[in-house]
Amino acid sequence: MSQQSELCVGLALAMSWLTKSGWRRADSQVEQLFSVSDYIDLTKQAEAAKLDFVFRPDTLFLPTEMVAQEPGFSSLDPMVLLSAIATSTTHIGLVSTASTTFNPPYVVARQLQSLNWLSQGRAGWNIVTALDGQYNFGQQAMLPSEQRYQVAAEFTDVVQKLWRSYPNDALLYDRQSGHFAAAEKVQAIDHQGEHFAVKGPLNVPQYPSGDIPLFQAGASPWGRNFAAKVANAIFAATPDLQAGIELRQDMRRRAQQHGRNPDDIKVLPGLSLYLADDYEQALALYQSTHTTLTHERKLAYLAKHLDVDFSELALGDHIHADMLPSTQQNVHSHTHTQLLRQFIERETPTLEQLLTRPEVMGSSHWLVIGTPHDAVDSIVERVEAGAADGFIAVPGGSRQSAALFFDQVMPMLQQRGLFRSEYQGTTLREHLNLPEHLNI
Ligand SMILES: Cc1cc2nc3c(=O)[nH]c(=O)nc-3n(C[C@H](O)[C@H](O)[C@H](O)COP(=O)(O)O)c2cc1C
């Protein structure tokens, strides 16, 4: 067992069982995709299971070829959605994604601090540099990953300075003297940086729980370094055990290099779950959910992420590392490219094996197809191997798969003493065992 006795568990608040062909099931209730009541119900289930947080991924673009066949990135605005959920829940953390590439920091700082007040200290920020969407913001091309993270670092610094610019203890509400706030404590930040100029202060005071916890998604060297410096947790794509061990060891080492305790950053892989009462049913669920993923679509994925064309190869042909381009600078996501490259370098797989990898099948996440027991065994294996401090559950295929996660997987983890049976606090900082008030 790694140092931690209790896991940190989040749920992707994304109706993930509707993706691929999942929405076509008769009982999918896909018509509820934009209905807030379904998201509230789901969050309440996660709260009843005592999860640390729900986690809302987000993008600011829509590939139209995708919506022909599945919801794709069709999505309500995450801050608006989580604000509605905040008023119907009491304990669970609410983590919103906000991109540092396309938003102004003042707006993001204000939205998140507002969510923190609405939820009474339960807001979290998933910092992403985003995958796509520059054409919606008057930009010609996505900046290379390294530069996006330079912007992200300054953006995050500005947001944190804005949060602290109007400290909670400035509020006096002194009716007698007529002092609403101690104005001398509310300070401009006068930020003049390479990418942003922000005077401040923010016009929302800080909620008493202190700094809002930071999550980060993206695992290129620049993404890791950025996360190791500022984040409390990294949302990771680790399709296999080795990728998880490597990432967690590396993040702990990088955190130390930044003068932090390695336990200060939690590695939380996405865990894609296709659950049923027996393996055969779970496999059938997985297969029926992935019927639209044709051979051509999978080859197109490889072409996009590895910059190679394998369409002339036979399924039994082996893929060698020397068949890959020597450098891959301007790829979509270094994280996804590196995961595939490492697998090829390690295994020299056949094309058929490569095409069945989780990365190629639609998500780069750790994948469990099986019973709730299988899921628990896999979770225990990963944690014991030091490949995870918890996980973010992404139930797939059907609502039944999500129900089995809540009704069986989580109780089994509780029975084994791996997860809390009751909340010890009411804020996200408390759930994550963060020190009072300040992140670092
Ligand atoms: C597990 C995971 C989840 C991500 N979630 C989002 C998301 O919800 N929205 C988004 O715009 N980008 C998301 N990204 C993209 C990252 O923010 C980042 O832009 C991309 O991975 C490139 O960074 P990298 O080079 O460090 O991988 C995600 C990436 C990973 C690996």
Side-chain angles (χ1 to χ4, degrees), residues 7-231:
L7 301 175
C8 176
V9 181
L11 173 81
L13 185 70
M15 304 294 168
S16 42
W17 47 89
L18 298 178
T19 57
K20 303 282 178 304
S21 308
W23 66 274
R24 297 177 64 186
R25 292 173 58 95
D27 61 355
S28 75
Q29 298 174 37
V30 63
E31 293 78 8
Q32 302 302 310
L33 186 60
F34 304 106
S35 140
V36 71
S37 58
D38 236 33
Y39 291 96
I40 291 174
D41 285 352
L42 181 62
T43 308
K44 282 183 170 173
Q45 284 182 67
E47 191 167 65
K50 316 297 176 204
L51 260 58
D52 290 81
F53 57 85
V54 288
F55 177 96
R56 180 74 183 172
D58 192 50
T59 61
L60 292 164
F61 67 100
L62 183 71
T64 44
E65 69 281 4
M66 226 171 163
V67 281
Q69 294 187 318
E70 56 170 304
F73 293 139
S74 314
S75 162
L76 295 173
D77 180 280
M79 300 279 185
V80 175
L81 177 65
L82 290 171
S83 299
I85 293 171
T87 60
S88 297
T89 51
T90 54
H91 285 71
I92 192 160
L94 305 170
V95 179
S96 182
T97 296
S99 155
T100 53
T101 303
F102 302 128
N103 293 296
Y106 193 95
V107 173
V108 170
R110 186 168 187 240
Q111 288 177 328
L112 284 162
Q113 197 57 256
S114 302
L115 179 63
N116 214 29
W117 277 95
L118 261 71
S119 64
Q120 298 180 303
R122 292 185 284 132
W125 176 21
N126 177 37
I127 306 170
V128 297
T129 61
L131 290 165
D132 208 344
Q134 71 282 2
Y135 41 80
N136 293 325
F137 299 90
Q139 299 174 16
Q140 294 302 315
M142 289 295 280
L143 284 176
S145 193
E146 185 176 7
Q147 286 177 37
R148 298 213 300 274
Y149 280 108
Q150 283 166 6
V151 176
E154 189 184 330
F155 188 114
T156 307
D157 179 47
V158 172
V159 167
Q160 289 192 306
K161 284 198 284 198
L162 284 170
W163 285 337
R164 294 168 189 169
S165 68
Y166 191 166
N168 193 273
D169 66 6
L171 294 169
L172 299 172
Y173 306 123
D174 190 339
R175 288 174 174 78
Q176 205 73 40
S177 68
H179 287 110
F180 172 74
E184 70 281 5
K185 290 190 177 175
V186 186
Q187 297 277 344
I189 64 168
D190 289 322
H191 177 88
Q192 291 287 342
E194 198 179 328
H195 308 286
F196 303 104
V198 183
K199 186 165 189 300
L202 195 65
N203 61 356
V204 185
Q206 196 167 34
Y207 187 78
S209 58
D211 280 1
I212 292 173
L214 304 182
F215 293 63
Q216 188 267 357
S220 61
W222 314 289
R224 289 180 187 203
N225 219 29
F226 168 65
K229 195 167 168 207
V230 303

